[in-house]
């Protein structure tokens, strides 16, 4: 128990070895792979540098948002790993305390909210050669692309409110996104079931994954809210 | 031999008789509520449904409304619909009665009856139906009641006014919390007007159902006092004679961008005007990448 990493590695190797005979023929006699669908969750906290960060801190007590994302990748190259084009859409919201305009020291009877819908268009590369041909159940991958973060903020009585100076509390800043992750091929747990899953519904492989995301929202716009962040996401991927 | 044949004979008779069932509803419902507001122009129609059409009996389907319980024929003071002809209800799966005005219900006609809309009474009336049906075994035609009898609940008693639990000021709005004081309450009516306004200037903000205990009165002016009145209404659309009233003032709340005061870079939106072309370039780059890979593949 002192070395959980080595224990995990051993388990993965054992599973890999046990399932190897079944996994070797993955790709042979299976339906062709077209793309990947992912559903993932993570804790996301925009950096909100400077005064915007103070606003976020006051309203939401510096707590992160729960981000839910769906991603669809289309794979167009599958010779040495798979290269594809992916689109993702996410949603996160946070509710917090606001204060009276007339006396900012007094809390208002309503709440302020921040809602975001991060969108991204990415090139996706998965090093799944080992999983497909040698039965290694761990697939590293990376993604890089452009992102847009539509956001809006309001109070209990308005989805989008204006500041005292009349600035509308909504926008859609652009940025770049980078992801690096590791996915675990679940087929090794029950290769026969995995094969049935492919035969019945066309799902070639199922993965559990963890990934680190880096969103930079400050490259193209220096003003406004900064939704740049580094955050982890965890989820389930279905390759079909 | 006879003991073996008897059950078969009984089944045979029963099958031949095919017990008819007439089900009655009012506008598809088994119970409707009506109040004084329905008296002036309201009327209703009874729908009948016949579940087994075959019958050797004749005789019309009688329909009537009674303040008592249903029998196989109308009693004194009961109000009758036009009969449904035997040829109609025995050969058709369903149909409708003639129309009856609420003001003609037995509760409001006759010697010592009150007039519809005037008396503060609450009473149930039942729609009854009867027809001749062939009995099994004897094969005799006997008067039988309809299998279901819908009720009309006349209620002229208004519910008790609700209680306002609190009013809080929001940005350009007031949030009102209330609770019913009467089991009969089905909906709440929320009205508002600037404080000091006369009764006829109150505007209906919303009508919410009993399960809702909060309502927001929107589109108000900040820092101006308003009076909110909440009425109860029951199923028969009777509105409480009195109302619950409370006053409140909408107060503006700070937007997220205001929370950091006068500091810079706060709450600035719509500032990504230069990013559009960059986005287009990035998409173009990706598409070139895709095309390149496809060419290589082919």
């Amino acid at each position: 128990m002192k070395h959980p990493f080595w224990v995990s590695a051993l388990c993965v190797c054992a599973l890999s070895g046990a399932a190897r005979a079944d996994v070797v023929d993955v790709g042979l006699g299976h339906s062709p792979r077209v793309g990947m669908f992912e559903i993932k969750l993570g804790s996301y906290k925009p950096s909100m540098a400077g005064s915007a960060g103070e606003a976020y801190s006051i309203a939401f007590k510096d707590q992160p948002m729960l981000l839910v994302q769906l991603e669809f990748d289309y794979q167009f190259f599958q010779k040495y790993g798979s290269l594809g084009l992916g689109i993702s859409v996410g949603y996160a919201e946070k509710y917090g305390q606001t204060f009276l305009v007339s006396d900012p020291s007094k809390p208002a009877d309503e709440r302020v909210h921040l809602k975001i819908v991060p969108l991204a268009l990415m090139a996706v590369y998965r090093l799944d050669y080992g999983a497909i041909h040698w039965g290694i159940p761990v697939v590293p991958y990376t993604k890089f692309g452009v992102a847009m973060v539509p956001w809006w903020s309001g109070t209990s009585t308005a989805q989008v409110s204006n500041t005292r100076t009349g600035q509308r509390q909504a926008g859609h800043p652009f940025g770049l996104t980078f992801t690096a992750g590791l996915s675990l091929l679940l087929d090794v747990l029950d290769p026969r079931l995995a094969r049935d899953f492919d035969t019945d519904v066309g799902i070639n492989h199922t993965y559990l994954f963890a990934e680190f995301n880096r969103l930079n929202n400050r490259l193209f716009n220096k003003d406004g809210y900064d939704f740049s962040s580094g955050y982890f996401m965890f989820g389930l991927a279905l390759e079909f | 031999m006879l003991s073996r044949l008897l059950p078969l004979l009984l089944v045979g008779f029963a099958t031949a008789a095919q017990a008819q069932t007439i089900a009655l509803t009012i506008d598809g419902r088994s119970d409707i509520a009506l109040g004084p507001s329905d008296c002036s122009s309201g009327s209703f129609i009874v729908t009948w449904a016949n579940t087994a059409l075959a019958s050797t009996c004749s005789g019309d389907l009688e329909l009537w409304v009674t303040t008592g319980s249903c029998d196989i024929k109308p009693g004194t003071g009961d109000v009758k619909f036009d009969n449904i002809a035997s040829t109609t209800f025995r050969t058709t799966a369903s149909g409708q009665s003639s129309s009856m005005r609420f003001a003609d219900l037995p509760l409001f006609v006759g010697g010592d009856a009150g007039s519809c809309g005037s008396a503060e009474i609450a009473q149930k009336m039942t729609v009854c139906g009867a027809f001749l049906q062939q009995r099994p075994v004897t094969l005799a035609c006997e008067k039988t009641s309809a299998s279901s009898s819908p009720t009309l609940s006349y209620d002229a008693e208004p519910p008790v006014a609700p209680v306002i639990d609190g009013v809080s000021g929001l940005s350009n709005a007031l949030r009102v919390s209330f609770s019913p004081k009467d089991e009969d309450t089905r909906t709440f009516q929320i009205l508002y007007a600037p404080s000091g306004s006369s009764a006829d200037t109150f505007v209906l903000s919303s009508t919410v159902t009993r399960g809702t205990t909060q309502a927001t009165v929107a589109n108000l002016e900040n820092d101006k006092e308003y009076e909110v009145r909440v009425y109860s209404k029951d199923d028969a659309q009777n509105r409480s004679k009195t109302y619950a009233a409370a006053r409140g003032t909408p107060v503006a709340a700070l937007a997220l961008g205001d929370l950091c005061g006068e500091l810079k870079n706060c709450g600035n939106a719509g500032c990504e005007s230069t990013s559009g072309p960059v986005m287009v370039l990035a998409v173009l780059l990706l598409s070139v990448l895709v095309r390149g890979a496809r060419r290589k593949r082919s």
Side-chain angles (χ1 to χ4, degrees):
Chain A
M1 295 305 283
K2 281 181 180 176
H3 305 288
F5 173 77
W6 293 111
V7 173
S8 312
L10 275 171
C11 285
V12 166
C13 288
L15 280 171
S16 157
R20 189 169 173 142
D22 292 302
V23 178
V24 166
D25 72 45
V26 170
L28 300 172
H30 281 238
S31 62
R33 292 176 297 139
V34 177
M36 184 84 93
F37 173 77
E38 293 179 0
I39 181 163
K40 47 194 169 181
L41 289 171
S43 175
Y44 164 83
K45 184 178 170 296
S47 69
M48 292 279 190
S51 52
E54 268 185 49
Y56 188 91
S57 176
I58 294 166
F60 309 121
K61 308 209 181 306
D62 238 7
Q63 295 292 310
M65 307 167 98
L66 175 66
L67 176 64
V68 183
Q69 270 185 313
L70 298 177
E71 183 178 320
F72 170 77
D73 303 336
Y74 170 69
Q75 296 173 355
F76 51 79
F77 176 80
Q78 292 174 336
K79 201 169 180 183
Y80 305 107
S82 57
L83 185 64
L85 192 64
I87 52 168
S88 80
V89 57
Y91 179 76
E93 62 178 26
K94 195 79 186 163
Y95 288 83
Q97 183 65 60
T98 184
F99 298 84
L100 295 178
V101 169
S102 53
D103 183 359
S105 64
K106 286 186 181 170
D109 279 332
E110 59 190 309
R111 301 171 83 194
V112 66
H113 64 248
L114 174 65
K115 298 179 181 182
I116 62 166
V117 182
L119 305 170
L121 180 66
M122 302 158 294
V124 182
Y125 175 72
R126 293 175 200 278
L127 186 57
D128 54 10
Y129 190 89
I132 302 293
H133 297 280
W134 304 324
I136 298 170
V138 179
V139 176
Y141 62 89
T142 184
K143 302 171 188 175
F144 180 75
V146 287
M148 182 172 77
V149 187
W151 67 276
W152 63 98
S153 173
T155 58
S156 304
T157 53
Q159 272 298 312
V160 179
S161 53
N162 292 319
T163 63
R164 278 182 292 177
T165 53
Q167 284 172 329
R168 191 173 147 78
Q169 292 285 274
H172 52 277
F174 289 92
L176 292 176
T177 177
F178 170 77
T179 303
L182 269 183
S183 46
L184 175 68
L185 182 63
L186 295 180
D187 300 12
V188 296
L189 300 177
D190 192 338
R192 188 173 296 278
L193 182 67
R195 210 174 290 146
D196 288 347
F197 204 29
D198 185 17
T199 313
D200 294 343
V201 288
I203 303 293
N204 295 63
H205 305 297
T206 311
Y207 295 94
L208 271 183
F209 64 88
E211 62 183 33
F212 175 75
N213 293 270
R214 178 69 210 168
L215 170 67
N216 194 324
N217 177 226
R218 276 303 216 213
L219 291 178
F220 309 137
N221 41 282
K222 301 293 181 193
D223 298 324
Y225 287 147
D226 183 6
F227 290 96
S228 300
S229 182
Y231 56 98
F232 285 94
M233 298 287 278
F234 304 90
L236 181 74
L238 305 173
E239 190 172 36
F240 53 91
Chain B
M1 186 67 178
L2 188 64
S3 62
R4 282 186 184 178
L5 279 176
L6 193 60
L8 282 173
L9 285 170
L10 285 174
V11 170
F13 284 136
T15 311
Q18 282 201 37
Q20 277 187 304
T21 310
I22 299 289
L24 305 177
T25 55
I26 304 170
D27 296 331
R29 290 178 293 167
S30 60
D31 180 64
I32 63 163
L34 55 128
S37 60
D38 298 306
C39 288
S40 56
S41 59
S43 63
F44 69 104
I45 290 171
V46 175
T47 303
W48 52 267
N50 188 354
T51 54
L53 300 173
S55 173
T56 53
C57 297
S58 59
D60 294 349
L61 169 65
E62 279 188 292
L63 296 173
W64 68 95
V65 184
T66 180
T67 51
S69 54
C70 286
D71 200 353
I72 54 169
K73 60 181 180 181
T76 313
D78 293 348
V79 178
K80 283 192 68 179
F81 287 89
D82 295 338
N83 282 1
I84 310 293
S86 178
T87 49
T88 306
F89 92 90
R90 291 183 197 281
T91 55
T92 322
S94 64
Q96 290 186 326
S97 69
S98 54
S99 171
M100 183 181 287
R101 294 191 315 133
F102 289 128
D104 294 334
L105 286 167
L107 197 58
F108 314 119
V109 293
D112 50 352
S115 63
C116 189
S118 62
E120 284 199 2
I121 47 175
Q123 190 167 340
K124 273 195 175 182
M125 289 162 280
T126 311
V127 177
C128 308
F131 59 101
L132 281 174
Q133 179 171 244
Q134 198 171 36
R135 308 306 298 172
V137 185
T138 64
L139 299 181
C141 288
E142 286 178 14
K143 256 299 176 57
T144 309
S145 296
S147 63
S148 61
S149 301
T151 55
L152 295 143
S153 306
Y154 178 77
D155 181 6
E157 291 175 9
V160 178
V163 179
I164 289 184
D165 301 319
V167 176
S168 51
L170 312 175
S171 301
N172 300 105
L174 290 173
R175 185 190 291 131
V176 197
S177 308
F178 41 82
S179 44
K181 274 189 79 178
D182 193 320
E183 279 298 308
D184 289 344
T185 300
R186 286 294 169 269
T187 56
F188 299 100
Q189 272 191 334
I190 298 105
L191 293 88
Y192 72 97
S195 287
S197 302
S198 57
D200 57 344
T201 57
F202 274 76
V203 179
L204 177 68
S205 167
S206 58
T207 300
V208 296
T209 53
R210 184 188 169 96
T212 312
T213 55
Q214 271 192 355
T216 302
V217 182
N219 302 318
L220 305 180
E221 207 177 301
N222 284 335
D223 304 318
K224 181 177 176 180
E225 192 182 63
Y226 288 85
E227 183 178 328
V228 180
R229 294 179 176 179
V230 185
Y231 289 89
S232 294
K233 283 185 95 174
D234 61 16
D235 274 340
Q237 299 303 307
N238 296 306
R239 194 168 90 163
S240 57
K241 281 183 176 172
T242 57
Y243 51 82
R247 292 179 178 203
T249 307
V251 281
L254 291 168
L256 183 63
D258 287 325
L259 290 176
C260 47
E262 298 302 316
L263 297 171
K264 288 179 182 174
N265 270 355
C266 188
N268 189 7
C271 44
E272 48 278 351
S273 55
T274 56
S275 55
V278 181
M279 181 73 175
V280 172
L281 271 175
V283 172
L284 277 173
L285 251 167
L286 277 170
S287 62
V288 167
L289 190 72
V290 172
R291 280 186 183 176
R294 275 189 175 165
R295 270 185 200 159
K296 213 173 183 181
R297 218 175 166 188
S298 60

